[in-house]
Amino acid sequence: MRSRAGMSRRALLRAGAAGAAGLALGTTARRATAHSPAAYVPRPDPTQYVLRVGATMQNPDGARAVPAVTADGALPGPTIRAREGDLLRIQVENHLADSPTSIHWHGLLVPAAMDGVPDVSTLPTAPGRVSVYEFPLRQSGTYWWHSHWGFQEQVGLFGPLVIDAADAPAPAHDPVVMLSDWLHRSPAAVFAALRGAAGAATPDARPMAAMKQPMAGTAGGSEAMAGRPMGGMDTPDLSDVTYDAFLLNGKGRNAPWSYAAPVGEAIRLRLVNAAGSTYFRVRLDGHPLRITHADGLAVEPLEVDHLLMGMAECYDAEVVLSTPGAYTLHAVAQDGSGQAVGVLHTPDVAPQANLAMPAFDGRALGYAALRAAAPTTLPDGPQRAFDLPLQGDMARYRWMIAGQAYPDADPLPIREGDRVQVTMRNETGMWHPMHLHGHFFRLLQGGGDRCPLKHTVNVAPGETVRIEFLADNPGNWFFHCHNVYHLEAGMARQFQYAV
């Protein structure tokens, strides 16, 4: 299995020859801006973790045990928790017999050498070797870590990463809710079926609804796009992979995760979509969700009844149980093919799950309603604009950005101090959660001077989305769709700082 970052044989040989690699710590302190929420104040001793990556068998839905790649044998992997201002040191041991690994710290403002993307910023950790990642924590919030090698993320190599604020105590009730999708077959076989069958119906891949090449879309776009005609298709495709189960904190609906809290006490749900290619609609029976953070950063609190989460997005949602009882947290796959469930309950009530599919009426979270907690306008600087349409060639299952498929794609040159503006037009019939490494970007959709800062944005079929970010973290940085199959098929580019 090749690297999702297009890892070359030469780089792999370099990694194998490197032995136990201690990665050099890059630039530490940068001035505080909208993209770097807090100035780094070093603490004397690092917070240290060890992740032992290895092959395991997992049976999270109770149906059958299948091969997986996990850290410390756990699904999800261990929670990494530290405090803003800490120096975080993580030792990654590769106990796999025949595959490299490489870990990305999703949403963190790290030096480029710590980013964990093979052939872009980092050498992978070869079998039997160790890598050490070390970087200062200049932000707080809900994030996660995951493999950036092949399909290891899809088969279990991911986990939460929580950074507590330096100036505030952690909430009394502060659970992570990590959503994922699960296969009883190899994702490499799924990908081969998608590519080889060009969308024909197989046990591994869904029919692609007669997509044309190249796919074209219509203007506009929102959560309501799920019924509009798209370039010769009756409706957009909400998924191209059939999953066997959907998981919440690594547990299937047969034995769901639960959490107990008394009536009237606030629960901070740290929601993370760690799925390989599933959008989830999330709601809690009988209770609204008070959104307080998006992708780790504070927003003006907003009460909604449900929200759509793209792959790699993170939200903090505060809930308060109103009366004694058990209340099911639903995470329904966008295509309606199944759901993950968990239960919030009061201590005097058994955590019985409601397995019925919920209705998604009431108030939906929309990007236009998100406002940052403080102004996010960028400092003056030279502007650099990119027009990056999202495209697909379904005859070959090839996904592209501006006509190029990674790794055979030109780098996008920027300079330190640039105000980088990116326009994305989704010309395909599928949704794409676009993720930028090493920076937060302003989502230019409402919000005025308080446009929310995010690291991942959903781009619906036919929709145009504009973002901007300050080029203040030199290096090479990946920009890609966080659907693992679209990424493997080329939907990625690289922002490259001039030297």
Side-chain angles (χ1 to χ4, degrees), residues 29-263:
R30 290 184 287 123
R31 64 189 179 87
T33 69
H35 290 68
S36 46
Y40 169 57
V41 179
R43 296 173 185 266
D45 298 313
T47 301
Q48 303 191 60
Y49 283 86
V50 177
L51 297 179
R52 299 169 182 86
V53 176
T56 62
M57 298 294 289
Q58 298 287 333
N59 184 13
D61 62 335
R64 56 180 289 196
V66 296
V69 178
T70 58
D72 295 2
L75 177 70
T79 298
I80 294 174
R81 190 153 197 160
R83 183 168 293 277
E84 180 184 10
D86 282 358
L87 182 65
L88 181 60
R89 179 181 298 156
I90 305 166
Q91 179 173 302
V92 177
E93 300 176 357
N94 186 356
H95 295 271
L96 297 169
D98 56 3
S99 175
T101 193
S102 192
I103 304 298
H104 169 56
W105 318 102
H106 189 104
L108 266 59
L109 299 171
V110 299
M114 299 292 106
D115 195 45
V117 183
D119 255 12
V120 174
S121 57
T122 311
L123 292 177
T125 308
R129 304 299 185 181
V130 176
S131 292
V132 177
Y133 297 82
E134 183 174 290
F135 44 83
L137 297 177
R138 304 182 55 253
Q139 62 204 94
S140 62
T142 303
Y143 304 97
W144 62 301
W145 58 266
H146 62 83
S147 173
H148 233 292
W149 184 274
F151 294 110
Q152 290 176 356
E153 176 192 329
Q154 175 74 95
V155 296
L157 191 49
F158 59 84
L161 200 163
V162 176
I163 307 173
D164 294 312
D167 57 355
H173 301 289
D174 193 27
V176 172
V177 174
M178 197 158 223
L179 308 174
S180 59
D181 41 26
W182 190 250
L183 293 165
H184 291 167
R185 57 205 184 276
S186 161
V190 172
F191 183 69
L194 286 166
R195 275 220 148 155
T202 73
D204 296 320
R206 290 185 173 176
M208 298 306 292
M211 290 188 183
K212 310 300 180 184
Q213 59 160 340
M215 293 179 288
T218 58
S222 68
E223 190 169 352
M225 282 295 297
R228 299 185 184 178
M230 287 295 305
M233 297 164 20
D234 292 334
T235 61
D237 276 306
L238 302 180
S239 177
D240 51 7
V241 175
T242 301
Y243 281 95
D244 296 289
F246 301 100
L247 310 178
L248 191 155
N249 287 342
K251 294 181 177 294
R253 50 186 286 172
N254 56 310
W257 171 86
S258 64
Y259 185 86
V263 168

